[in-house]
Amino acid sequence: MIAIPFDSSQVMQGIASIAPEAILVCTAITVLMADLFLAEDGKWLLCWLSLAGVLAALGEVYLLGSSRIVGFSGMITSDGFGMFFSTVVLSACALVLLMATGWSERAGTQKGEFYSLILMSTTGMLIMAKGTDLMTIFLGLETLSIPIYVLVGFQRSRMTAIEGALKYFLLGAFGAAFMLYGMALIYAATGTTKIPVLVYMSVGGGMAGSSLFLAGMGLLLVGFAFKVSLFPFHMWTPDAYEGAPTLVTAFMSAAVKAAAFAALVRVAMLLFPGVSPAIGPVLWVLAVLTMTVGNISALGQNNVKRILAYSSIAHAGYIMVGLVAGDLLGSQAALFYLLVYAFMNIGAFGVLMLISQKEDDGYDIHNLRGIGFKYPVLGALLTLFLVSLAGIPPTGGFIGKFYLFSAAVKNGYIWLAILGVLNSAASIYYYLRIVVYMYFMTPEGEVVTPHTPPFGYALALCACAAVVLVLGMIPGAVLTMAEQSVLSLLM
Amino acid sequence: MTASPNLMSNILTILIFLPLAGAFVLFFLPKENGRAIKHFTLLVTLVEFVLSVPVLLNFDGATAAMQFTQKVPWIPQFGIGYNVGVDGISLWLLMLTTFIMPIAILSTYAAVEKHVKEFMIFMLLLEVGMVGVFLAIDLFLFYIFWELVLIPMYFLIGVWGGERRIYAAVKFFIYTFVGSVLMLVAILALYFYNYKVTGVYTTELSALYNLNIPVKMQFWMFLAFGLAFAFKVPMFPFHTWLPDAHVEAPTAGSVILAAVLLKMGTYGFLRLAMPLFPVATFDLMPFVTGLAVIGIIYGALVAMVQKDIKKLVAYSSVSHLGFVMLGLFALNLQGIEGGILQMINHGISTGALFLGVGIIYERSHTRQISDFGGIAKIVPLFTLTFMLVTFSSIGLPGLNGFVGEFLIMLGAFKTSPIAVVFAASGVIFAAVYMLWMCQRVLFGKLTNAHKLHLTDMNFREIAYMAPLVLFIFWIGVYPDPFLRKMDATVNAYVQQIHAKHQSALAASPAGETLLARYFDVRK
């Protein structure tokens, strides 16, 4: 065991390492308190207050920079890797809050607890991304999950919301239990939950002979698989995505996925090499099945939210390709992809939210008829996001896929790359189907009138579009950032 | 001609991005004034053409090197650069693209009424992709432009197309996309192989050409690249998307599709698949030649029985592109020059054929051969033009088609005489189906005259047909200037591909079978 020294400078360092999280928690509590005192027509302040908190946290993340700060005797580490994922998660959160300004009134989410839950969940995500101890990762996972369960069922008068929330909660609880049990087994085998120590013990296949350790790793993987919705643990995804208020769906698909993958990448980069003969083929199969099942299921859907839900499963499969590759390049690709994915997916949901008049039926694909020409900007934006999701140049989605598949090819997984690209060819069908409805179909009767986005909302959409295009055309800076953050992981 | 050196050193970049700038400006123009939007787009494409002329004039036909090159690091992490250049192979395809665009735009003046603005934006975006594909000399950049073409074409077919446009558009997209994603994997494999050998990450073509890729790897990579290009050409049996796309696309879309997009496939073979993988190219030559000949005959036979003029022309493309492939895979000077020239010829004549079909369709709203008959009496000028284009398409001596086909057969005869025997029958079939169609549509007894509302070509239509007719004669009578510009490049190309093939096989035992070479199957 490593002794825990008590030292005030250590405590200060610990506080520094979680400063962004602290800001978020303070904001969450402030929002909750302010909700009590604000009159009904002043509630709009809550959203801006939350947004300010998120931006402050983002600022703090950059103030801390990529220098390595180990907090609480190695429970949590603020480094380049954490910075990258903090950026992804906080940007996703900021985009969603920006969309919520002037939108929450309509969606019935103009409540203090809504923002406070989002902030709490974001805190969990940051902790998960920065956790260097299995226990911290679990703590982060639970902190992020519980608010999300509530948020999915936020519009509690809708049946789909209740169904989605319940399914998500039950399966999520299972997943968490699996993960915790896996951690327990790993502890039993090694006597520690600290990732650096585990790395030290497992390096070079040192623990590969321990079936207890292997079983622990397997269960840990199952836990992650639930959260990032890998096949066959993806069943909750379409229902939860459909049931949640679309703002929350956008948030979940981008941020929760990023945070869960952050922890998974950390574990995969550091611990999987020690057990790679056993776990490599499993990851390979998981990646292929996940993307195939996701894509095939999306083909027949008529609800756009469900299409994007299945597409998000498929994208988890693509990201797994980077983890199968297992080297620096693969992890960098996964990081880059998660960043692009956050922006393109939030963007797509953002446009759809404007077009759909109401939850549930509003997302029927038939409502999109004739939108493209009547509302050229919305049409062009949604097309851009879909093209990016499909991985067609010159968008960030293409560079991301190129990056992922290049990692696979580099490490000799040619077949995985071939299956990946064929999958992305199949996915073209359902992404284009949305475009077909928007542009090619002549509307029957009136074309749906989309809402006019409030300023913040429009700003968020423009930001998404800009990022998707910039990452597609001049990805250099972000590639370097991804590279350095993965390198900081290995230090 | 003297142009400012600054302009000339950036000319290719300007050519690629001028249409993009045009599309950007269009996006902000009010959509009500369709006429002004058409004028503006025409202007952009004309400026583009005028700017491409100095490239032709200043092009040095005595060297095989890439000219007007520009090299800017783009994604340095991956060694990907923005590298553009033009040589004797791409020069004429570039010219064809910039030349055909204003013609296609002019053809839309009466045909496109709805969503004019969006139509023109997509046309300009299409031009960006097409010009980019021909000018890119970086593998990654090539792929970007290659894929960039898909989306505008998809919209052109899907929105402005005919009855079954959605089916045709989706089919077009998915077929060509499936082909190209496998190429992407091969590109990656090639990229990492290059790194393994040279220790440098690069996608620059000039560097990749120098690689000696193991023969087994060549085989699979050739297949992956070849599949992408075969879908695009399209070669038999990957051609099934083409008739649908052609029939459903609006006239301007068909013109661009036939004149330029299909050439991207043949150009891809010439620029990438053949020089990168010479051993596989030589070994698979009989196979590709065979498919080309099947395409020639099959395309012709199917064209013969079509009831729809546009579909007939579409199948004739399958046949003609078979000729191009036959020429390219002769792997000698005549064959390849003939192939390149025939790409241009096909662009001009088939483009003109689609324009002709468009002209009578705009008036009569039918393309069924049986609905017409004897229209020569009411549209004499149209008849004259259409017949001329038909003669060009079937390769009548004195017109452009003849020169190309003759060179191709000359080249191919050296390597596979039997293939030429069969291919030559395709020329006869072409005469049969084209002339038979003309006879039924243009000549004979005038039927249905009152229903067809035909009037002869107007000034605008004469204006866009005239340049095509000019080149039909020019290339037919005096092809020399066209061929001389490509001589140096193609000569060097042929030498290099033969030399690489020789050196790669220096270590292989004589008489090694393909099964042994690629699959280790030995007796």
Side-chain angles (χ1 to χ4, degrees):
Chain A
M1 289 291 282
I2 296 167
I4 305 170
F6 187 81
D7 175 351
S8 65
S9 73
Q10 288 277 321
V11 174
M12 289 315 288
Q13 198 178 333
I15 290 172
S17 72
I18 56 160
E21 288 86 340
I23 294 175
L24 285 178
V25 171
C26 291
T27 317
I29 294 168
T30 314
V31 168
L32 214 47
M33 297 296 281
D35 188 34
L36 290 178
F37 299 108
L38 280 175
E40 208 49 48
D41 58 348
K43 300 267 191 198
W44 58 272
L45 251 176
L46 296 173
C47 190
W48 289 102
L49 193 62
S50 321
L51 188 58
V54 170
L55 291 180
L58 194 58
E60 177 61 27
V61 165
Y62 277 85
L63 278 182
L64 290 174
S66 55
S67 57
R68 192 177 175 79
I69 306 169
V70 181
F72 305 105
S73 25
M75 294 292 277
I76 201 162
T77 305
S78 166
D79 57 5
F81 186 77
M83 184 173 107
F84 187 92
F85 275 104
S86 302
T87 311
V88 177
V89 166
L90 289 171
S91 322
C93 184
L95 285 173
V96 168
L97 287 174
L98 206 50
M99 284 182 184
T101 59
W103 185 260
S104 274
E105 292 88 343
R106 204 169 272 136
T109 50
Q110 191 68 291
K111 298 197 168 75
E113 59 265 34
F114 179 79
Y115 301 113
S116 164
L117 284 168
I118 286 209
L119 293 171
M120 286 296 188
S121 170
T122 309
T123 312
M125 293 171 193
L126 297 194
I127 293 174
M128 194 164 176
K130 287 154 76 172
T132 40
D133 186 297
L134 294 179
M135 293 320 294
T136 323
I137 291 179
F138 184 75
L139 183 72
L141 178 81
E142 288 295 273
T143 316
L144 91 80
S145 298
I146 292 167
I148 293 281
Y149 300 144
V150 181
L151 284 170
V152 169
F154 203 80
Q155 294 166 330
R156 58 178 186 272
S157 54
R158 289 169 48 223
M159 280 303 286
T160 43
I162 297 172
E163 184 193 344
L166 195 64
K167 261 192 192 168
Y168 190 24
F169 171 67
L170 285 177
L171 290 175
F174 263 113
F178 274 118
M179 183 181 270
L180 196 59
Y181 195 45
M183 289 171 179
L185 291 182
I186 291 173
Y187 183 78
T190 61
T192 179
T193 54
K194 287 196 187 310
I195 291 177
V197 183
L198 287 170
V199 174
Y200 179 73
M201 293 174 74
S202 71
V203 75
M207 294 303 296
S210 157
S211 49
L212 214 51
F213 187 74
L214 281 180
M217 291 303 284
L219 289 176
L220 196 60
L221 184 62
V222 170
F224 281 121
F226 265 111
K227 270 295 151 210
V228 300
S229 55
L230 297 182
F231 177 87
F233 311 105
H234 66 287
M235 299 298 184
W236 58 270
T237 315
D239 293 317
Y241 276 32
E242 192 188 358
T246 313
L247 265 178
V248 174
T249 312
F251 181 61
M252 280 165 74
S253 67
V256 174
K257 187 162 271 176
F261 261 113
L264 181 54
V265 169
R266 191 185 287 275
V267 170
M269 271 306 278
L270 298 175
L271 299 183
F272 286 177
V275 289
S276 60
I279 216 157
V282 176
L283 292 179
W284 197 99
V285 171
L286 274 184
V288 171
L289 284 178
T290 304
M291 55 188 159
T292 312
V293 169
N295 280 324
I296 289 177
S297 317
L299 294 176
Q301 300 296 326
N302 275 331
N303 180 313
V304 191
K305 244 170 138 179
R306 285 185 85 88
I307 293 181
L308 287 185
Y310 282 111
S311 117
S312 101
I313 297 172
H315 282 271
Y318 300 137
I319 297 168
M320 284 304 288
V321 170
L323 297 192
V324 175
D327 66 340
L328 285 175
L329 192 68
S331 304
Q332 289 160 22
L335 260 61
F336 183 87
Y337 203 86
L338 284 162
L339 178 72
V340 184
Y341 182 74
F343 283 90
M344 61 195 182
N345 224 31
I346 291 180
F349 276 118
V351 178
L352 287 171
M353 208 157 37
L354 287 176
I355 297 171
S356 309
Q357 300 295 308
K358 53 186 193 309
E359 292 288 350
D360 299 328
D361 297 347
Y363 287 89
D364 192 302
I365 195 166
H366 296 279
N367 285 356
L368 294 173
R369 281 170 185 261
I371 285 284
F373 284 112
K374 198 142 183 227
Y375 302 96
V377 177
L378 281 187
L381 282 175
L382 186 53
T383 308
L384 171 72
F385 296 130
L386 292 173
V387 160
S388 181
L389 284 166
I392 298 168
T395 56
F398 168 71
I399 300 282
K401 280 209 179 107
F402 176 82
Y403 208 172
L404 282 171
F405 295 138
S406 71
V409 171
K410 187 187 179 193
N411 290 285
Y413 296 100
I414 298 272
W415 275 107
L416 184 61
I418 290 177
L419 290 171
V421 293
L422 287 180
N423 252 293
S424 91
S427 75
I428 294 279
Y429 178 79
Y430 60 83
Y431 292 125
L432 286 189
R433 195 159 154 252
I434 301 178
V435 177
V436 164
Y437 273 86
M438 276 202 300
Y439 288 94
F440 299 179
M441 298 257 188
T442 31
E444 293 163 351
E446 282 290 289
V447 175
V448 172
T449 316
H451 298 290
T452 317
F455 173 74
Y457 201 111
L459 190 68
L461 284 183
C462 290
C464 290
V467 170
V468 166
L469 277 176
V470 166
L471 289 182
M473 290 191 255
I474 29 174
V478 180
L479 292 178
T480 311
M481 201 171 132
E483 196 178 334
Q484 278 163 358
S485 61
V486 172
L487 282 176
S488 84
L489 191 62
L490 295 182
M491 278 201 313
Chain B
M1 177 153 180
T2 50
S4 85
N6 203 6
L7 176 75
M8 286 316 286
S9 61
N10 291 315
I11 187 75
L12 299 187
T13 303
I14 295 173
L15 285 177
I16 293 173
F17 293 106
L18 178 76
L20 186 66
F24 190 73
V25 173
L26 264 188
F27 193 81
F28 294 102
L29 289 183
K31 63 176 169 191
E32 284 72 29
N33 195 345
R35 199 84 191 160
I37 286 171
K38 285 170 181 165
H39 285 325
F40 175 78
T41 318
L42 182 65
L43 183 73
V44 172
T45 53
L46 277 175
V47 171
E48 172 91 354
F49 176 65
V50 169
L51 283 173
S52 69
V53 171
V55 175
L56 177 63
L57 296 178
N58 292 326
F59 184 86
D60 181 3
T63 165
M66 283 288 169
Q67 302 181 32
F68 307 104
T69 51
Q70 254 191 319
K71 185 174 172 180
V72 183
W74 176 22
I75 311 178
Q77 288 87 343
F78 293 160
I80 291 169
Y82 168 82
N83 295 339
V84 289
V86 65
D87 67 358
I89 294 172
S90 48
L91 176 69
W92 289 113
L93 290 163
L94 167 71
M95 294 311 295
L96 175 69
T97 311
T98 59
F99 169 73
I100 209 86
M101 274 307 286
I103 293 176
I105 300 291
L106 210 50
S107 81
T108 63
Y109 268 54
V112 176
E113 290 299 334
K114 65 167 187 179
H115 308 311
V116 177
K117 180 173 137 179
E118 288 82 358
F119 186 93
M120 295 302 167
I121 290 177
F122 287 127
M123 286 295 272
L124 289 176
L125 289 179
L126 199 56
E127 188 167 17
V128 177
M130 297 186 303
V131 172
V133 161
F134 295 133
L135 295 182
I137 49 173
D138 179 283
L139 202 48
F140 186 81
L141 192 66
F142 174 90
Y143 188 81
I144 298 268
F145 285 124
W146 173 268
E147 298 262 279
L148 202 59
V149 170
L150 291 181
I151 296 209
M153 199 58 188
Y154 168 73
F155 274 96
L156 288 178
I157 299 174
V159 177
W160 292 273
E163 201 79 333
R164 292 165 66 240
R165 59 183 193 277
I166 296 176
Y167 170 76
V170 173
K171 192 171 176 185
F172 159 77
F173 202 111
I174 292 188
Y175 271 53
T176 42
F177 193 74
V178 167
S180 52
V181 289
L182 290 177
M183 174 165 78
L184 182 64
V185 178
I187 288 176
L188 289 169
L190 182 63
Y191 171 74
F192 287 112
Y193 178 75
N194 177 61
Y195 174 71
K196 211 172 90 184
V197 175
T198 63
V200 183
Y201 280 123
T202 181
T203 49
E204 216 180 313
L205 273 180
S206 55
L208 299 176
Y209 283 150
N210 295 330
L211 281 179
N212 283 315
I213 305 164
V215 287
K216 257 188 215 154
M217 214 166 155
Q218 285 199 20
F219 179 76
W220 293 109
M221 285 183 177
F222 182 88
L223 286 190
F225 275 77
L227 191 69
F229 302 141
F231 268 115
K232 202 75 156 193
V233 170
M235 291 182 71
F236 178 87
F238 308 106
H239 65 280
T240 55
W241 62 270
L242 183 78
D244 288 311
H246 263 321
V247 170
E248 300 306 325
T251 299
S254 291
V255 171
I256 299 295
L257 190 61
V260 187
L261 249 61
L262 306 187
K263 308 308 175 309
M264 285 166 50
T266 44
Y267 175 76
F269 271 110
L270 198 54
R271 175 67 77 214
L272 302 176
M274 291 158 59
L276 286 171
F277 319 116
V279 178
T281 303
F282 275 90
D283 285 342
L284 292 173
M285 191 171 89
F287 184 68
V288 178
T289 309
L291 284 183
V293 171
I294 294 175
I296 293 173
I297 296 174
Y298 173 84
L301 288 177
V302 179
M304 217 179 283
V305 295
Q306 293 307 316
K307 296 188 181 114
D308 182 320
I309 310 177
K310 218 173 173 187
K311 210 161 188 174
L312 184 146
V313 180
Y315 275 108
S316 85
S317 280
V318 176
S319 182
H320 285 140
L321 268 298
F323 268 108
V324 176
M325 291 306 296
L326 182 66
L328 299 185
F329 273 77
L331 297 166
N332 52 34
L333 183 71
Q334 290 87 350
I336 291 179
E337 287 201 347
I340 299 173
L341 193 65
Q342 192 60 6
M343 289 188 218
I344 310 301
N345 291 336
H346 177 262
I348 294 172
S349 351
T350 308
L353 281 175
F354 277 122
L355 288 168
V357 177
I359 290 174
I360 53 171
Y361 179 74
E362 274 167 36
R363 292 161 169 72
S364 62
H365 298 287
T366 175
R367 289 185 308 250
Q368 299 299 312
I369 296 175
S370 55
D371 287 347
F372 296 95
I375 63 171
K377 297 187 185 71
I378 36 176
V379 286
L381 189 59
F382 172 80
T383 305
L384 180 69
T385 319
F386 200 73
M387 280 311 292
L388 194 78
V389 175
T390 301
F391 286 139
S392 144
S393 176
I394 62 183
L396 194 76
L399 301 179
N400 61 345
F402 174 74
V403 184
E405 282 178 3
F406 183 75
L407 277 173
I408 287 172
M409 291 205 252
L410 203 64
F413 196 78
K414 290 185 191 165
T415 45
S416 37
I418 299 172
V420 176
V421 172
F422 282 105
S425 69
V427 181
I428 301 168
F429 287 138
V432 174
Y433 65 77
M434 288 305 291
L435 292 178
W436 192 32
M437 183 265 285
C438 284
Q439 187 208 334
R440 284 178 293 167
V441 171
L442 302 171
F443 305 113
K445 201 163 145 270
L446 182 60
T447 50
N448 278 338
H450 56 288
K451 269 198 341 214
L452 296 173
H453 312 292
L454 287 177
T455 49
D456 213 342
M457 287 161 69
N458 58 30
F459 176 73
R460 178 177 56 85
E461 287 156 351
I462 296 171
Y464 65 68
M465 280 302 217
L468 293 168
V469 171
L470 172 74
F471 279 99
I472 286 176
F473 277 114
W474 188 350
I475 301 179
V477 177
Y478 188 54
D480 205 53
F482 294 89
L483 295 173
R484 291 303 79 81
K485 287 276 188 191
M486 41 176 136
D487 274 349
T489 309
V490 178
N491 251 322
Y493 181 90
V494 172
Q495 272 171 19
Q496 201 187 359
I497 194 172
H498 279 268
K500 267 183 79 179
H501 176 233
Q502 297 288 331
S503 71
L505 286 186
S508 299
E512 186 185 37
T513 63
L514 296 189
L515 278 178
R517 183 173 297 161
Y518 296 121
F519 300 102
D520 291 323
V521 180
R522 291 196 169 77
K523 268 187 256 173

